[in-house]
Amino acid sequence: MNNLNQRKLLSEGKTKKIYEMKNSYKVILHYKDNITALNGMINESFQDKGILNNEINTFIFDFLNKSGIKTHFIRKINNREQLCHRMNMIPLEFVIRNFVSGSLSKRLKIKEGEKIPNSIYEIFYKNDELNDPLINDHHAIFLKIISYEELNFVYDMMKKINKILKKFFNSKNIILIDFKIEFGKNYKNEIVLSDEISPDTCRLWDKQTMKKLDKDVFRKGIQKSKDMFDIYMEILRRLHTI
């Protein structure tokens, strides 16, 4: 029997299923068609969304691997699945903000689109009961989630990832407004970039028109879920444009 078929469901999130492989330090990520907003309070779907996100994530993580960033990604298996290293996920979401948008705009009452010269890093505690609250470094240490040494390592990785992706998206005529990333520890206890980078987790604006090319148009009710295919397809098309 093919080893890829020797698997069982390990966990299921809003947009992905994770399958455990027997006798392996690897997992299979399966991308669903769900699109969510407001921390899962709105949960809909559009046809082939999982196929598009799998392709987008494959492209971006493969690019980051080749750029010297250690990630969980190994290879694409099929149109909805990819093989990844198994991670012990750190229950924190790290947000990198290059321009004011979203919750930062509301919090500080600053108009969306203002450039941030000193990219802002934010930490959110992944806890559904608490609605993923914004915390700082010292909270994360107090909660015994991470150490100061590990945080410094993560921030260094974030700086490198942001520099690489800003340049990359700029070459595709896209502004990387902000994005969310997550990290985990592999079987060697190394901190590695994990989860996904896609229009689900990034704010991406067209460089000329400032048109939103990400999940924000669904989150803000600008477009319905059934109309989101074209936006995700546009990102995929630009990724493959030389």
Side-chain angles (χ1 to χ4, degrees), residues 78-139:
N78 55 47
N79 64 354
R80 284 188 180 271
E81 296 180 330
Q82 54 186 232
L83 185 67
C84 297
H85 295 289
R86 184 169 181 169
M87 294 289 119
N88 179 20
M89 294 300 292
I90 298 170
L92 298 172
E93 294 181 347
F94 295 89
V95 175
I96 302 172
R97 300 186 183 275
N98 299 311
F99 289 79
V100 174
S101 190
S103 61
L104 181 65
S105 174
K106 293 177 183 177
R107 217 182 308 142
L108 302 182
K109 290 185 168 52
I110 299 175
K111 186 178 178 181
E112 282 197 331
E114 182 170 330
K115 187 173 183 179
I116 304 170
N118 57 312
S119 297
I120 295 172
Y121 300 162
E122 293 179 341
I123 306 176
F124 293 84
Y125 178 32
K126 289 196 70 174
N127 185 308
D128 288 338
E129 289 183 12
L130 300 177
N131 200 30
D132 299 346
L134 174 67
I135 63 173
N136 63 31
D137 295 12
H138 309 297
H139 292 128

Side-chain angles (χ1 to χ4, degrees), residues 157-205:
M157 279 191 73
M158 289 168 66
K159 184 178 179 180
K160 291 174 183 175
I161 293 165
N162 191 35
K163 183 178 180 180
I164 291 168
L165 289 183
K166 278 198 302 182
K167 183 178 180 181
F168 172 73
F169 279 114
N170 185 65
S171 72
K172 310 298 180 181
N173 288 313
I174 295 170
I175 301 171
L176 181 57
I177 299 295
D178 61 32
F179 62 110
K180 183 268 292 182
I181 51 179
E182 296 184 32
F183 295 88
K185 293 182 180 179
N186 61 19
Y187 72 98
K188 296 180 181 178
N189 207 38
E190 299 171 319
I191 294 178
V192 171
L193 177 66
S194 308
D195 195 47
E196 66 175 291
I197 297 176
S198 73
D200 279 8
T201 62
C202 302
R203 284 190 174 91
L204 306 167
W205 293 5

